[in-house]
Amino acid sequence: MDKKVTADTRELPDISQEFKAKKDGDGGPREIRVQHAHGGLKGRWTMNSMTIIMAALAIVTIFVTTLSASYYYNNIRQNLYTRVTQSASFINRFLNSSYDQFLSASESFVANMEDKDKLEIQIISSAGNILSSSSSFTTIGSAPGTKDTAQCLEQNATIVWMGRDSVSGERVISASAPLVDTNNNLIGCVRCISSMALVQRQIIVIVLACLLLGAFFALAVELSNRYFIKSIVEPVMKINIIAKEIAAGRYGMRLHKVYDDEIGDLCDTINHMSEEIGKAERMKNDFISSVSHELRTPLTAIGGWSDTLIAGGATDPEEVIMGLGIIQKESRRLTQMVEELLDFTRLESGRMKLNMELFDVGAELYEAVYMYENMLEKENIQLEYDIPDQMCPVNGDRHRMKQVFLNIIDNAAKYGKSGGRIRITLSRDSYTVMIEVRDWGVGIKEDELPFVKEKFYKGSSKQRGSGIGLAVTDEIVRMHGGTLNVASIYGEGTTVTITLPLANTETRPAQLEPEAQEQEEKES
């Protein structure tokens, strides 16, 4: 039984899944919303880049501030700890003497200390009162405003404390070290205090420097963004203008390529598209003009002879027969042209159908040759046809393949008439069958040869035709899994070679028609 297959000859683009029609709850297609971008591409790019820059700047500023504060605080803490420990060791040497000598030595040590402008040293009694101080603003006999003194006297250990002084109200860091005599009795403690104002000012300077550097960096990025956006937006705007011009029908317009990058590739694509659309438009106009001419010529002949015969102008029987012959010939040519147009339309829309069956391609080729034999003889064209010794079974549509053979032979007769000779050969190997049609006509120019299979292309030939016959023929051969090649030398002739895959010979006897089977049995 013959089986029908439909070959889709169109190459559809790969449509993204995002843009395919999807059904929502009410059964209709889900609407794809287009987001409105304020400021266009420039605004989106600036917003995105500056958001990232500001976030990075904030992170870096926080990190540098935290690192700097930790460094300064730890450095001051370590310096105070070392200073108060050394001071306590120095004062402890006087604790073996009398208490008055201890007070005198302590007051002398406090009065003669260096760096009075950076820190303050106090001598604290075991009761927690200030005995002496390097600062004139400290009240002698008062209690310190920080917790490190009480903890030092309570734990008999060096204590470092940082916080706000309850007496002065400023942030300070203080360290207290115990003073003990030779009997390990706690006499009091020595206390070093440093204001945090200098450190805080230093940290603020670092933060401001980071912010200034970040602002400079952000400004540089913004200027760079403006230059980059300019190099993107302006070409895109030009591309948009050219695309609108092309859409308005001004085909062939070109973009000037500035950079060899993605934008440059897009310019090349737009230019190629414009050229191809312009070429297609010219081919369409040429095709319409050619078809109009091809239709008008036979219609004029048919109309003229019809009027003549109706009016009784042709009284000679031979003249009447000649007129009817012309009407019949031109009607067949019109029918052939309409069939070509219908086949072309089916191919373009993907509705070309093949009635697949197993048949002998040699038999179909012979029928096509037989149909043209008398015509070629009248045209004084010598026809050579080599009959194969074995069958050439293929899977396909026998009628479409006969259409292919008729078109190729007709072209050979039409364009190779000046050579006076056409040779048709059929051969096969283990996997393929090859049909070759050779003429000795004028041939095809070398620069036109690559385009002869394109639709609507007629080149410099003055022969009548629509320019789609060979394109339809090539597509039919391709649908059968074969190839059609055209080779030509200008002035020497043209050779058209059709290659088709052979069918599986194991299934051939059951599917060949009875006449073909009987012929095969006789040959065997």
Side-chain angles (χ1 to χ4, degrees):
M1 180 182 293
D2 297 350
K3 52 182 179 179
K4 292 185 177 181
V5 296
T6 301
D8 191 348
T9 61
R10 297 172 297 174
E11 296 183 359
L12 297 178
D14 184 18
I15 304 175
S16 172
Q17 199 69 21
E18 180 183 355
F19 295 96
K20 289 183 179 179
K22 298 181 180 179
K23 302 295 182 180
D24 56 14
D26 57 359
R30 189 176 66 180
E31 181 182 0
I32 300 175
R33 297 182 179 178
V34 179
Q35 297 181 358
H36 178 69
H38 297 283
L41 180 62
K42 180 179 180 180
R44 293 203 310 272
W45 179 271
T46 303
M47 178 63 69
N48 294 337
S49 60
M50 292 308 295
T51 299
I52 296 175
I53 292 299
M54 296 305 295
L57 177 61
I59 294 174
V60 170
T61 302
I62 293 173
F63 176 77
V64 171
T65 302
T66 303
L67 188 65
S68 301
S70 176
Y71 170 77
Y72 280 110
Y73 291 155
N74 289 335
N75 192 34
I76 294 176
R77 182 188 296 271
Q78 185 64 33
N79 290 338
L80 279 181
Y81 183 88
T82 302
R83 188 65 177 268
V84 75
T85 303
Q86 292 175 353
S87 299
S89 298
F90 177 79
I91 296 174
N92 281 337
R93 290 185 298 176
F94 297 94
L95 294 181
N96 294 331
S97 304
S98 62
Y99 185 75
D100 293 337
Q101 290 180 342
F102 161 70
L103 290 178
S104 176
S106 299
E107 291 176 356
S108 176
F109 173 78
V110 170
N112 296 326
M113 68 163 290
E114 300 177 355
D115 300 330
K116 290 183 179 181
D117 56 334
K118 297 180 179 179
L119 57 85
E120 177 186 0
I121 290 185
Q122 299 174 351
I123 305 299
I124 310 298
S125 67
S126 57
N129 297 321
I130 299 174
L131 298 178
S132 61
S133 173
S134 60
S135 175
S136 59
F137 297 100
T138 301
T139 303
I140 304 300
S142 62
T146 59
K147 299 179 181 180
D148 57 299
T149 302
Q151 293 176 0
C152 176
L153 295 175
E154 180 180 352
Q155 301 175 14
N156 194 16
T158 302
I159 301 298
V160 180
W161 181 87
M162 183 173 62
R164 189 172 298 278
D165 193 334
S166 60
V167 176
S168 63
E170 65 175 334
R171 289 182 58 81
V172 298
I173 181 170
S174 62
S176 298
L179 300 174
V180 294
D181 58 11
T182 55
N183 295 326
N184 203 26
N185 294 321
L186 183 63
I187 303 301
C189 66
V190 59
R191 177 171 177 252
C192 293
I193 312 100
S194 177
S195 175
M196 300 295 294
L198 183 61
V199 176
Q200 291 176 342
R201 284 196 298 270
Q202 191 67 26
I203 293 175
I204 292 174
V205 170
I206 293 175
V207 172
L208 292 177
C210 289
L211 293 177
L212 182 62
L213 183 63
F216 176 77
F217 181 71
L219 179 61
V221 170
E222 175 63 18
L223 295 177
S224 176
N225 285 344
R226 289 180 178 273
Y227 175 77
F228 178 73
I229 288 296
K230 183 179 180 181
S231 66
I232 295 294
V233 173
E234 289 187 358
V236 169
M237 293 177 64
K238 292 180 180 178
I239 291 173
N240 186 35
I241 294 174
I242 294 297
K244 290 181 179 179
E245 294 289 339
I246 295 174
R250 298 182 60 186
Y251 308 122
M253 297 190 65
R254 294 181 57 85
L255 285 164
H256 178 62
K257 182 177 178 179
V258 179
Y259 301 104
D260 189 15
D261 53 9
E262 289 79 0
I263 296 295
D265 293 340
L266 181 58
C267 290
D268 291 338
T269 303
I270 295 294
N271 291 336
H272 179 68
M273 181 192 70
S274 178
E275 292 174 359
E276 291 299 317
I277 293 177
K279 185 188 300 182
E281 183 69 14
R282 289 191 298 271
M283 291 177 65
K284 184 197 71 173
N285 294 334
D286 294 342
F287 170 72
I288 294 174
S289 176
S290 174
V291 169
S292 300
H293 176 73
E294 293 297 326
L295 291 174
R296 184 173 61 250
T297 301
L299 288 175
T300 301
I302 293 172
W305 276 103
S306 298
D307 293 339
T308 300
L309 294 176
I310 292 173
T315 57
D316 188 355
E318 292 184 0
E319 186 179 3
V320 172
I321 292 176
M322 182 181 67
L324 292 175
I326 292 176
I327 292 175
Q328 184 184 44
K329 179 181 177 181
E330 296 299 330
S331 298
R332 288 175 178 175
R333 196 155 68 88
L334 284 175
T335 301
Q336 181 183 0
M337 187 181 303
V338 171
E339 288 295 331
E340 286 183 354
L341 293 174
L342 290 175
D343 288 340
F344 175 73
T345 304
R346 294 189 190 102
L347 288 173
E348 288 294 300
S349 61
R351 294 183 290 109
M352 173 70 78
K353 294 181 179 180
L354 299 180
N355 296 318
M356 305 296 289
E357 59 179 320
L358 189 64
F359 67 95
D360 181 16
V361 71
E364 300 302 321
L365 179 60
Y366 178 77
E367 290 184 10
V369 172
Y370 181 77
M371 292 175 64
Y372 270 88
E373 190 172 8
N374 293 332
M375 184 198 76
L376 295 177
E377 185 178 351
K378 292 180 180 179
E379 296 289 341
N380 296 322
I381 299 175
Q382 181 183 354
L383 177 62
E384 301 175 5
Y385 174 57
D386 297 334
I387 300 176
D389 296 332
Q390 54 183 335
M391 299 186 64
C392 302
V394 297
N395 279 317
D397 189 328
R398 64 169 67 231
H399 302 293
R400 289 297 181 185
M401 286 310 304
K402 183 185 292 185
Q403 176 185 348
V404 169
F405 300 147
L406 290 174
N407 187 277
I408 297 300
I409 297 173
D410 184 73
N411 284 345
K414 184 188 302 180
Y415 299 101
K417 182 178 180 180
S418 60
R421 179 185 172 194
I422 296 176
R423 185 179 65 201
I424 302 174
T425 59
L426 174 65
S427 60
R428 57 164 289 180
D429 56 23
S430 301
Y431 303 101
T432 58
V433 56
M434 185 172 67
I435 302 97
E436 186 176 279
V437 180
R438 168 82 158 93
D439 70 70
W440 278 263
V442 68
I444 304 172
K445 294 181 180 179
E446 184 177 358
D447 57 337
E448 297 178 359
L449 190 59
F451 309 104
V452 293
K453 293 192 291 184
E454 293 185 2
K455 50 183 177 291
F456 310 139
Y457 185 80
K458 296 183 64 176
S460 58
S461 174
K462 302 301 182 182
Q463 292 290 341
R464 297 165 64 180
S466 62
I468 61 176
L470 193 58
V472 173
T473 299
D474 179 61
E475 190 64 28
I476 292 175
V477 173
R478 190 188 67 82
M479 291 169 64
H480 282 79
T483 59
L484 186 148
N485 296 315
V486 180
S488 182
I489 299 177
Y490 189 65
E492 297 184 11
T494 303
T495 301
V496 178
T497 304
I498 299 174
T499 304
L500 297 171
L502 278 174
N504 187 352
T505 56
E506 295 180 358
T507 60
R508 181 179 59 183
Q511 298 184 25
L512 288 175
E513 293 187 353
E515 296 83 358
Q517 293 186 20
E518 292 176 2
Q519 181 180 355
E520 186 179 16
E521 290 173 358
K522 291 178 181 180
E523 293 177 353
S524 61

